[in-house]
Amino acid sequence: MQDVLRSVTNTAALGRAATNIGIPVAQLSRWQLAAQRYAGGSAEATAGSINGLEQQVQQFRVTGQMSPALVALARLGGSPYASMQSNLLTLAHAFHHMSPAAALKFGSILGLDTGTINLLEQGRAAVAAHLRAVSPDAVTRAQTQAMIKLQTAFAGVTQAAESLGRVLLADIAPGLTRMAHIMRDVLEGNWSQLNKDLHPPGYKSASAAAAANRAALNPQGWANTPEGRFLQSFFMNNNPGNIRHRNANGTWSLNSYPSRRAGMRAMSTLLESYPKRYGADTVASIIPIWNGHGKNDPAYIKNVSNWTGYGPNQPLNLRDPMVRDNLMAAMIRQEHGKRTSPFQVQALLSARRPGLSPRVNDTLNLLRGAQMARMSMIHAESNHAETHIGHVTINTQSRDPHRVASAIRNIGTPSAHAMQANAGLR
């Protein structure tokens, strides 16, 4: 593509140069090709030499004053009234019959480049033969006109793309700037500044107003609403599968895990054990055990079957992580009413990326957690302290926000928490 663009640019430039000099495009192209092929010159330098000499001629025709270059041209047999082609061939005859040093001296006075001088030193007959030899490869006027149009079109597309890019960047610049500040704060461990960067003006008052509205709509408290229960289970308990255990009173209670990754891994491990533990390897046999400990739920089975594409009685290889990821995504969606993809499940299970430093992994986990918890705020009781991280409100008995922030920073690290025992998992 670069070669194509270079060819378009060079051909268009040749057409414009020929127009400025006042000679046919094909003629200028032949001189350029001859200087390149037979004298080691360059197309640009040859065009510049010819253009410079032509400017001297045009100045004489307007003012009547002979410049040193035109005086030298006249001494060598040329004329400001002759064509450029004729003057160059006349110079070729003169240069061929003088020493190389003299030719270089006269060529410098005339403003010619070394390649053009070397070409002219070969003599009139040789130069004329060279021009004939390169004639089939010369650029035509029609070609330059086509390339000029194409270059104009390319320029229009490029300018439109740059304009669109500026508009898009201007729109997202504030967000990118804020993200850069957040990344800086996390990498530097500057948690007090992180709180400031994450909190827009009026954040706390807006949060309090939202909590008051939720409480007004539901006198029993927002935690008892479907959204509240979802956030309570998924974000506070880190229990996407709603895994339960039997407590001391004999009732079933939700498990709590130190991180969402730990909760997701517990769900994956539990599903993998079902064929051996319960002889359950189909959607129709897994769901009754998972949901209500033996209670059949046709709607649950139907939804999971539809979302996964697995038939209700299709045997599943639960040792295959991809099968488990697909099944877990559908079950989480059924449990919480929130659409979840197998990719999200895999991302949580593989929270730490190989090849990245622990600090970078921790940063990714923090940002991933903030993204997944977007627009979610959990109302705290009056005797609980609150630590705000972006759009997530974490309720904790601890009144030390720096300690809480430090704990969040370590989410996903193997040493952060010991995984809660899975004894009594349903």
Side-chain angles (χ1 to χ4, degrees):
M1 188 61 184
Q2 289 182 340
D3 292 339
V4 173
L5 293 175
R6 188 181 302 110
S7 177
V8 170
T9 301
N10 291 342
T11 304
L14 174 63
R16 294 188 177 94
T19 300
N20 293 334
I21 296 172
I23 65 176
V25 171
Q27 185 181 115
L28 177 59
S29 179
R30 285 194 293 270
W31 280 99
Q32 288 179 319
L33 292 172
Q36 285 180 302
R37 188 178 301 182
Y38 300 108
S42 70
E44 294 79 5
T46 299
S49 296
I50 295 175
N51 181 56
L53 188 57
E54 180 62 24
Q55 294 300 320
Q56 299 287 333
V57 171
Q58 294 301 327
Q59 184 178 357
F60 167 76
R61 291 176 181 177
V62 172
T63 65
Q65 296 179 352
M66 295 280 284
S67 66
L70 293 186
V71 172
L73 177 66
R75 285 189 57 186
L76 297 175
S79 169
Y81 298 104
S83 67
M84 183 57 63
Q85 177 88 351
S86 175
N87 279 329
L88 289 174
L89 291 175
T90 298
L91 291 175
H93 176 76
F95 283 9
H96 185 63
H97 291 86
M98 64 177 64
S99 68
L104 182 61
K105 180 65 175 178
F106 273 105
S108 298
I109 296 173
L110 292 166
L112 304 179
D113 68 286
T114 304
T116 303
I117 294 172
N118 292 340
L119 176 65
L120 297 177
E121 284 180 330
Q122 299 176 36
R124 184 187 188 104
V127 170
H130 295 334
L131 294 176
R132 289 192 297 271
V134 300
S135 184
D137 300 324
V139 178
T140 66
R141 182 172 180 271
Q143 291 172 340
T144 60
Q145 288 179 333
M147 293 304 103
I148 289 174
K149 290 180 180 179
L150 181 57
Q151 188 182 49
T152 302
F154 278 165
V157 172
T158 301
Q159 292 168 2
E162 290 176 350
S163 176
L164 177 60
R166 287 192 298 270
V167 171
L168 293 176
L169 283 175
D171 287 342
I172 66 175
L176 292 177
T177 302
R178 185 163 176 259
M179 182 182 297
H181 290 165
I182 293 171
M183 290 290 292
R184 179 203 61 201
D185 297 337
V186 172
L187 292 174
E188 294 178 355
N190 190 349
W191 303 111
S192 60
Q193 184 61 41
L194 175 63
N195 261 343
K196 295 178 182 178
D197 289 334
L198 284 173
H199 292 174
Y203 174 81
K204 290 185 178 180
S205 60
S207 174
N213 290 337
R214 288 191 293 268
L217 291 173
N218 186 350
Q220 295 182 348
W222 181 69
N224 290 326
T225 65
E227 183 185 13
R229 286 192 294 272
F230 164 72
L231 292 172
Q232 182 85 7
S233 175
F234 202 102
F235 294 110
M236 286 189 66
N237 296 328
N238 296 311
N239 188 355
N242 278 344
I243 300 174
R244 292 180 174 87
H245 67 278
R246 194 181 296 277
N247 59 28
N249 298 326
T251 59
W252 293 96
S253 300
L254 284 172
N255 284 14
S256 181
Y257 297 95
S259 67
R260 285 190 293 280
R261 184 189 182 204
M264 196 71 77
R265 291 185 66 179
M267 184 179 182
S268 180
T269 301
L270 192 57
L271 281 173
E272 188 176 6
S273 72
Y274 265 40
K276 184 176 180 179
R277 188 174 180 180
Y278 301 110
D281 64 351
T282 66
V283 174
S285 61
I286 291 170
I287 298 307
I289 301 172
W290 193 276
N291 181 43
H293 305 278
K295 178 183 176 182
N296 191 22
D297 190 338
Y300 197 147
I301 295 172
K302 180 181 178 181
N303 287 340
V304 171
S305 179
N306 289 338
W307 294 333
T308 60
Y310 302 145
N313 297 307
Q314 175 185 344
L316 304 177
N317 179 13
L318 293 177
R319 290 176 297 178
D320 186 341
M322 295 183 65
V323 173
R324 293 199 305 275
D325 291 350
N326 197 17
L327 185 60
M328 289 166 61
M331 293 174 67
I332 293 170
R333 180 178 177 182
Q334 177 68 28
E335 292 285 344
H336 300 288
K338 300 293 182 180
R339 185 183 297 272
T340 306
S341 71
F343 177 80
Q344 290 172 302
V345 172
Q346 184 183 28
L348 280 171
L349 286 170
S350 307
R352 299 187 69 77
R353 302 300 184 191
L356 298 180
S357 68
R359 170 168 283 190
V360 172
N361 266 304
D362 292 344
T363 301
L364 291 175
N365 290 334
L366 177 64
L367 296 178
R368 185 186 296 114
Q371 180 184 24
M372 293 187 64
R374 185 183 179 191
M375 301 304 295
S376 64
M377 293 178 293
I378 303 175
H379 181 60
E381 298 179 2
S382 60
N383 63 335
H384 283 199
E386 292 187 357
T387 298
H388 300 279
I389 306 295
H391 292 290
V392 183
T393 302
I394 299 175
N395 301 291
T396 173
Q397 295 289 347
S398 173
R399 297 186 178 275
D400 182 358
H402 297 285
R403 184 177 180 183
V404 174
S406 178
I408 293 170
R409 183 167 178 246
N410 291 324
I411 286 176
T413 60
S415 60
H417 300 278
M419 185 175 295
Q420 181 168 329
N422 291 333
L425 295 181
R426 68 182 186 186

